[in-house]
Amino acid sequence: MKNILITGGAGFIGSHVVRLFVNKYSNYNIINLDALTYAGNLENLKDVESKENYFFIKADICDHEKMDSLFKEYEIDGVIHLAAESHVDRSIKDPFSFAKTNVLGTLSLLQAAKNNWNNFENKLFYHVSTDEVYGSLSEQGFFTENTSYDPHSPYSASKASSDHFVRAFHDTYELPIIISNCSNNYGSYQFPEKLIPLFINNICNNKPLPVYGKGENIRDWLFVNDHARAIDVIFHEGKNGDTYNIGGFNEWKNIDLIKVLIKTVDRLLGRSEGESEKLITYIKDRAGHDFRYAIDSSKLKNELGWEPSLQFEEGIEKTVQWYLDNQDWVKKITSGDYQNYYQEMYSN
Ligand SMILES: NC(=O)c1ccc[n+]([C@@H]2O[C@H](COP(=O)([O-])OP(=O)(O)OC[C@H]3O[C@@H](n4cnc5c(N)ncnc54)[C@H](O)[C@@H]3O)[C@@H](O)[C@H]2O)c1
C-alpha cells in the first residue's frame, strides 16, 4: 500500500483528482490535506468520504512543523500538490497571502519531503502549476515547456516562484519532482467566483455579466476531468525532473465564450435564444490583464499518450447542466452555508 498526499483536495481541481485516485487505486491510501479556506468545500467529496482508502486532514501547508510530522505519521510516498490561493482578482487585492500560501507553503512541503524521505527511490513530489507563469501571447504562437517564465499578476508571480523552488529542490538536493503547467479549467464543483460558474449563475438569476474591457482576451479551456486524467498519467509515467504542459488546443475569446454560455443556459431553461445577451455589462479592464494564453501540449501527447477526451461543446453542455442540477450546492456557497459542512462532519 502506498500513501499519497494530495494537497488542496477540497478545492475545484483537487476534488476531481482525489475522486479519481480514491476510486481507481485501491492500493493507495489517499490523504487529502486542506486548510478549508473559503475555496475549500468538503461537500465536493461527499461521494468518496466513506471509502476505506480516503483520509482527510485539516491543516495549513504553511505550518512546516505540522507538515514535517504528517510526513512521519503517514509515511508519505508521493505528493500531488494543488493547494494554493488561485484567483487572480484576489491576488491583485491581497498579494501577500498569495506569496505566503503559494511560495512559503510549497517550500514547507518541499522541506518536509526532503527531510523525511531518507531514500528518494520510488518517491515523487508532483507540483501542479499554471500556464499563467509564461506570461502573455500575442495573436500567434503557443507556450511550450521551453517558454521563458514571464508572470504578470501577483497570482502568476507566486506560482512561478513556487515552480522555481520545486525545480531548485531537484537541482540542489536531487528531490524527485515533476511540474505540470495547465491552461484554464472548467467543470463541476468550481467556486462560483470564477468566470464560467459565475456567469452560469448570473444568467440563471438574470444578474449582470461583468466583462473585462471589450472581452477580447483569449483563454485556452480544458475540462477539469481531463486535467485530472493528465495528472494521473504524469504522476505515474512522467519523467523525474520534467515539466509537462497540459491544454486542449481550445482557445476562446472571453466574449465568444460568454455568448456560448448564454445560448446554452437559455436553451436549457427554455428561454428564447439570446434572451440573456442584454445582461452583458462591459467594465474597466483588469489591471495587468494578459491578452492571450495558448498551450502546446504535444509533448504530453507524444511522450505519454494523453489527449483531451471531450469536445468543448460537450464539456460546456455537461457543465451548465451540472450547475443547473446542483443549485443546492451553488446556493450553499453563495450563502456561505457550505462552511458549516466541515463542522458537522468532523466535530466529535
Ligand atoms: N483553476 C484553474 O483553471 C487552474 C489551471 C491551472 C492550474 N491550476 C492550479 O491548480 C491548483 C488548484 O486550483 P483550483 O482552481 O482547484 O483552486 P481552488 O481555489 O478551487 O482550490 C484550492 C484549495 O487549496 C486549499 N488551500 C488554500 N490555501 C491552503 C493552505 N494554506 N493550506 C492548505 N490548503 C490550502 C483551499 O482550501 C482549496 O481547497 C492550484 O495550484 C492552481 O494554481 C488551476
Side-chain angles (χ1 to χ4, degrees), residues 10 19 40-47 49 189 328-329 332 337-342:
R19 179 175 299 101
N41 182 358
L42 287 175
E43 286 208 58
N44 297 357
L45 289 165
K46 252 183 180 167
D47 52 328
E49 68 192 6
Y189 297 110
D328 270 3
W329 181 91
K332 276 187 192 161
D337 270 3
Y338 71 107
Q339 281 164 324
N340 298 330
Y341 187 73
Y342 166 75

Side-chain angles (χ1 to χ4, degrees), residues 241-252:
D242 253 10
T243 286
Y244 297 88
N245 280 354
I246 311 172
F249 291 105
N250 179 42
E251 292 179 50
W252 286 83

